[in-house]
Amino acid sequence: MGAINNNYRLLETNVLLDRFLTYREVFTEHFKTMKVIERGEALRYETYSRLADNYISNVHRFIDLCESYIAKYHLENSQLTEKLNDYLVEVIDAISCLDTDRNRIDHIKLEQAKRKIHQKEIEFMNAIGLLAN
């Protein structure tokens, strides 16, 4: 019975990693869309405000998925949860590069946020690897 539970946990951990990679790509696309909007190549209704709302919505969906996994396996005080939280803080903070009132991007903040997110991604993926051992 224990082997089945371990296999199921491993499967769910793989699903979590897959969703992490999927959402990582979603967030990357949001950053690309910021530049498309800035160049004036986006659809008329696509604004930074709308993009920010969509971005935060995706963050919440990913958080819900992660919270479910963490609660199911009682990982509330684990290194995985700590690294995930660090990652999510950077992902959420990245949206601060947008000035939705003036419809502008702070490019310096955006590039700093992308670097910080990348570092936190690595740390989170390493924590998932530790969990599998």
Side-chain angles (χ1 to χ4, degrees):
M1 186 71 168
I4 292 173
N5 288 338
N6 285 339
N7 286 341
Y8 193 67
R9 181 175 178 173
L10 181 60
L11 178 64
E12 286 190 338
T13 301
N14 286 338
V15 169
L16 176 67
L17 182 58
D18 180 63
R19 294 299 184 269
F20 168 77
L21 294 172
T22 299
Y23 276 100
R24 183 176 108 178
E25 191 62 33
V26 167
F27 301 141
T28 299
E29 289 301 316
H30 281 297
F31 297 139
K32 289 177 185 176
T33 302
M34 288 177 192
K35 292 181 181 186
V36 170
I37 291 170
E38 183 179 49
R39 290 191 309 260
E41 297 172 1
L43 298 174
R44 186 178 320 149
Y45 61 84
E46 191 67 66
T47 63
Y48 292 130
S49 178
R50 182 177 158 96
L51 182 68
D53 289 345
N54 189 325
Y55 182 86
I56 294 300
S57 176
N58 280 308
V59 170
H60 283 288
R61 280 191 214 113
F62 182 61
I63 288 171
D64 289 344
L65 175 84
C66 294
E67 285 177 343
S68 173
Y69 177 85
I70 289 166
K72 182 172 185 173
Y73 293 107
H74 310 290
L75 298 170
E76 289 82 1
N77 295 315
S78 68
Q79 182 180 6
L80 175 104
T81 301
E82 177 186 334
K83 297 303 179 185
L84 176 62
N85 286 338
D86 292 346
Y87 167 73
L88 290 170
V89 165
E90 295 303 333
V91 167
I92 292 167
D93 190 49
I95 204 72
S96 69
C97 71
L98 293 179
D99 180 346
T100 56
D101 294 332
R102 295 189 188 121
N103 220 28
R104 293 185 187 163
I105 301 174
D106 181 332
H107 290 281
I108 294 170
K109 274 186 169 179
L110 175 60
E111 292 307 315
Q112 289 172 343
K114 287 165 53 175
R115 281 191 298 276
K116 289 178 183 177
I117 288 170
H118 179 69
Q119 180 60 41
K120 298 303 178 185
E121 288 170 348
I122 292 168
E123 291 173 14
F124 174 69
M125 288 187 283
N126 286 336
I128 285 181
L130 293 175
L131 182 67
N133 294 331

